[in-house]
Each structure stands twice: as C-alpha cells, then as structure tokens.
Amino acid sequence: MEKVFAVLVDGENFKSDAFTRVLAEVEKHGSVALKWVYADWTNGCNKSWEDVLELTASRPKQQFHYTKKDDADHALIMDAIELINNNKRINSVCLVTSDGGFASLAQRIREYGIYSMVIGEKKSPKRLIRACENFVDINNIDRDDTVENDKDLDLEALLIKAYHRAEIDGEAYLGNFGTAIKRIDPSFDHRNYKVASLKKLIKSCDDIFQITQEANDRFYFTLKMKTEGVEGKLVKCFKGQGFGFANYNKTKFFVHKSEFTNPEDWKSVNTGSMIKFQFDEKNSKNGNEIRALNISIAN
C-alpha cells in the first residue's frame, strides 16, 4: 500500500529554507496529501516562510500565543490526533521538528498503526528520534536533490530526475515514472511535447533512455550508457578521505580519487572544480550514486 502523508511542521522550530528539501525526502517514501505549517504568523520572525508556503502550496496554520510560546505546538498535536482518528486517507505522518516535546505524539502515531516519520536536526533529543519509525537528519538531505523550481528544469533534466525517483534495480516502470514526474512538476503534460502518450515521449528520447521490456501491460526502460565524456561540478570534496560528489544534469555522481586518469589531478581539485568524466549508469552504482569513471580536470 502506498504511503499517503500528512506533513505537519513546527514552523517556529524549523528553518523555512530547508522545507523544499523536506518535501523532496518525504516524496521518496510516498505521496503528500497535506502540508500544514504551524506558527503565530503575526510574529515578524516568521516572515521568511511566506514565499516558501506559496512555492510549496502549503497551508499556514495560525495560532496566537495567548498564554505561552508553545501554543502552536499544542495546535499541531491536536490536529495530528484528529487526523489519525478521522482521516481514513492518511496512513503516514511526518513531523518536521527538532523539539523533543513531540516525542509522545510520534509514539502515539505509531501506536495507532500509522507510519511515523520525523525530519529534524541531528541534535534532536534521543526520545524524539527513538519514538518514530524513521528519523531523518535534515543535513543528510542533499540540497541538490530538491527543487529550486522544477518547472524551470529542461526536459532532459526533468526526465532524468523522475527516472531516479522511479528506478528500481536499474530500470523504471512507466507507471511509477509517470507518478514520479507529476510529483516533481504537477503541471507536466506530455502533450506539450507533441506526443500522444508518455510512452511515446520516452521512446522519442532514445538518446537518454533504452527500452528493456515492452508489452501491452508493461513498459520498462533504463538510462542509456554515457560512455562519452561529460562535464560536472564537484559539489563536495573530502580530500583526506579520497572521495567526493559531482553533479551533472541534476544527477549526483560518486567521485573517487582512484578514478582520475592522472593521479596528481586529485591533489588540485576542490569543491567547485569542474571535472570531465564518463559513466555507465547500469554498471557503476555506488550506493545511491553513480560512480564517475575516467576522471580528468575540465578545461
């Protein structure tokens, strides 16, 4: 059964600029039915949320601080209990907070048989981390995995991003791919590209994808090998440990010093350096990243 999330945000305890990263992480686990952010919106300290709420189509939940500073927390808790009791569509809840005061709520959600997830900072109290089924440190969510504005992605970048969300064991099923691309950009419509179906769009992109299975009831495809050299930016570089990460076309690649054709090049690259490399998407996985091969410094 697909997880359908209610994302409930302690807006006074969480930075607004990290919220798009939160949603990208939650959407890896299921669909998001509602996004509610709790705060006293008359307080100017919460002004930074205004554009983020509009960008992410999230609902601000107003709570004046009549008695004490955690009135907004109480409102979130009451809404969460009402949701898990009355909204039959919701089978998963993600609390976005680092406040240990929500530990009892995370535990109660689990006791109701609802999937309990928390996204917060590593410094979150252990009682909160242990109360949920899945705690995610916000610092482990790569900034490059989020939508700066997915409507501004070119078609190739959008398709590749959707592929990586839908891919299982090196290939993607068309149905899952269609769901993934709509989650990234709800306005996506294959007809904008003068094709009659999403399948035909994939087939037309034969420089990006390769069909692995096709029948009346199934359509699977994979990314084509990229044996020619591409250029990407080194976005993280751990010199002492001998590895880093590079981005090319919104995709993250694992970079190891042993893959440099000239071993001396590793000594001169740093975060921000442009490198040239090859990759074989199907055969060079390194965890969740694709391994960069035959690396050199870009001119």
Side-chain angles (χ1 to χ4, degrees):
M1 178 186 296
E2 183 189 35
K3 293 181 176 67
V4 180
F5 278 91
V7 178
L8 307 179
V9 185
D10 178 7
E12 297 176 339
N13 181 258
F14 198 82
K15 295 179 180 179
S16 59
D17 60 2
F19 189 46
T20 54
R21 296 159 63 194
V22 166
L23 294 178
E25 179 68 20
V26 176
E27 287 177 346
K28 293 178 181 178
H29 299 269
S31 62
V32 177
L34 57 88
K35 296 158 279 188
W36 293 350
V37 185
Y38 294 77
D40 180 358
W41 300 110
T42 64
N43 187 332
C45 295
N46 300 317
K47 179 71 173 175
S48 63
W49 274 98
E50 185 175 344
D51 291 340
V52 176
L53 291 170
E54 181 180 10
L55 173 66
T56 59
S58 301
R59 180 184 296 183
K61 302 284 279 188
Q62 167 63 24
Q63 179 58 55
F64 292 107
H65 291 314
Y66 290 116
T67 55
K68 48 188 177 179
K69 64 179 182 179
D70 56 357
D71 283 350
D73 296 355
H74 294 160
L76 188 158
I77 292 169
M78 289 187 290
D79 280 354
I81 296 299
E82 183 177 356
L83 278 170
I84 62 178
N85 277 286
N86 300 322
N87 192 321
K88 302 303 181 184
R89 184 185 177 201
I90 301 298
N91 60 24
S92 305
V93 175
C94 178
L95 303 177
V96 183
T97 183
S98 299
D99 187 342
F102 288 103
S104 296
L105 175 60
Q107 180 63 37
R108 178 64 63 88
I109 292 168
R110 290 185 68 177
E111 292 171 355
Y112 270 78
I114 304 293
Y115 182 78
S116 176
M117 180 177 182
V118 174
I119 297 180
E121 296 181 344
K122 187 177 182 180
K123 67 180 182 181
S124 299
K126 289 184 178 179
R127 64 182 183 275
L128 176 64
I129 296 173
R130 292 173 177 169
C132 62
E133 293 179 74
N134 182 15
F135 178 85
V136 179
D137 179 356
I138 184 62
N139 293 313
N140 288 337
I141 305 175
D142 198 306
R143 294 178 184 275
D144 298 310
D145 189 39
T146 63
V147 234
E148 48 295 323
N149 186 342
D150 283 313
K151 292 182 180 180
D152 295 333
L153 295 177
D154 62 40
L155 178 61
E156 180 177 355
L158 182 61
L159 294 177
I160 291 175
K161 186 167 188 176
Y163 171 84
H164 283 298
R165 290 199 181 185
E167 174 263 330
I168 299 175
D169 295 332
E171 61 181 3
Y173 172 60
L174 183 64
N176 295 340
F177 178 83
T179 300
I181 203 167
K182 274 294 191 181
R183 285 179 181 168
I184 295 170
D185 181 2
S187 70
F188 174 83
D189 190 331
H190 59 266
R191 293 172 294 186
N192 290 334
Y193 303 96
K194 311 302 181 185
V195 291
S197 67
L198 183 57
K199 180 190 288 189
K200 289 187 176 180
L201 178 61
I202 296 303
K203 286 185 171 183
S204 72
C205 296
D206 55 3
D207 58 329
I208 307 173
F209 299 116
Q210 179 176 330
I211 300 167
T212 54
Q213 294 185 55
E214 182 176 10
N216 290 335
D217 61 343
R218 68 180 67 89
F219 185 84
Y220 290 86
F221 56 97
T222 187
L223 279 178
K224 272 194 170 180
M225 286 187 194
K226 292 287 186 179
T227 54
E228 74 277 11
V230 299
E231 289 189 8
K233 179 184 286 188
L234 201 61
V235 292
K236 293 180 182 178
C237 184
F238 303 98
K239 299 286 284 190
Q241 300 174 46
F243 73 93
F245 298 94
N247 273 359
Y248 163 70
N249 209 356
K250 310 298 181 183
T251 302
K252 186 162 63 174
F253 294 84
F254 178 76
V255 174
H256 194 271
K257 66 178 184 180
S258 64
E259 293 292 347
F260 278 79
T261 54
N262 180 358
E264 294 299 312
D265 284 349
W266 173 251
K267 298 178 182 179
S268 60
V269 296
N270 288 291
T271 299
S273 298
M274 294 298 295
I275 59 174
K276 188 173 182 178
F277 58 92
Q278 300 172 336
F279 66 93
D280 176 344
E281 204 280 339
K282 190 173 182 179
N283 298 314
S284 61
K285 285 279 187 178
N286 184 80
N288 294 324
E289 288 80 38
I290 307 166
R291 191 179 183 98
L293 310 171
N294 299 326
I295 307 170
S296 59
I297 297 176
N299 295 328

